[in-house]
Amino acid sequence: MEFGKCEVDCLDKVLRFRRDVRGNNFLDKKISSKKIEKILKAGIKAPSVGYSQPWKFAVIKSKKKRKKIYKNFQKEYKKSKHHFSNPTYQKLKLEGIKESYLNIAVFYKKPKRKILGQTSQKKMGEYSVVCAVQNMWLMARVLNIGIGWVSILKPKSVKKVLKVGREYKLVAYLCVGYVKEFLDEPELKKLEWEREMFLDEVML
Ligand SMILES: Cc1cc2nc3c(=O)[nH]c(=O)nc-3n(C[C@H](O)[C@H](O)[C@H](O)COP(=O)(O)O)c2cc1C
């Protein structure tokens, strides 16, 4: 398979217009199971250390479970506030747990055997799961579906709600749904919370 300019331009566009979506931007609109499957299948096409494919997904539609997870977000968000004196922090909407159509918890399954490539750097399995998350994020975007990553959560609490065993480590908690709009720039850039870094600045 050889790609050309068309695919380069297309991928560039997808990367440029992928956004993190929060609760103020989700629509209450059904996502077909075919599209959900398409997003999950993009995840499992990701590269993984030693081809270990250490990812596990939990699709959460239950309002009751999401309410419990949202409660944990509220607790963690409250605790986080004292770290930021900037008043913008109090106004930020940092999740869409209840507003999105569904949530996906992405776990790393700890291996029982040695994994090729993971003998020196133990976190390579978890990094592989992050690759799966990015694939899902991009596939969702081309389906015009938004994803928002929520990290202001205690993994222990999420695992308790989802009744997930000790061998699983939470890597990502994603809110997934159709959106009112995809912002053309990261929201935190627009709000001047952080500024965009350019290539020459990130070169060592
Ligand atoms: C590992 C990770 C964790 C994140 N956690 C949160 C979060 O808890 N709440 C939130 O609103 N956004 C979260 N984000 C989204 C980032 O804020 C967002 O990606 C960044 O501001 C750039 O915006 P963009 O994704 O729209 O380009 C997270 C993103 C990543 C990669």
Side-chain angles (χ1 to χ4, degrees), residues 18-20 22 93-95 137 149-152 186 188:
R18 181 212 49 79
R19 284 279 79 76
D20 186 83
R22 303 176 176 97
K93 174 84 177 154
L94 292 175
E95 51 71 48
W137 213 336
W149 188 325
V150 192
S151 46
I152 307 164
L188 295 181

Side-chain angles (χ1 to χ4, degrees), residues 148-172:
W149 188 325
V150 192
S151 46
I152 307 164
L153 287 170
K154 277 274 182 240
K156 205 173 153 187
S157 163
V158 174
K159 283 176 66 175
K160 194 175 164 199
V161 175
L162 302 179
K163 298 190 173 76
V164 162
R166 289 168 67 90
E167 67 274 33
Y168 298 100
K169 184 170 178 189
L170 181 72
V171 171

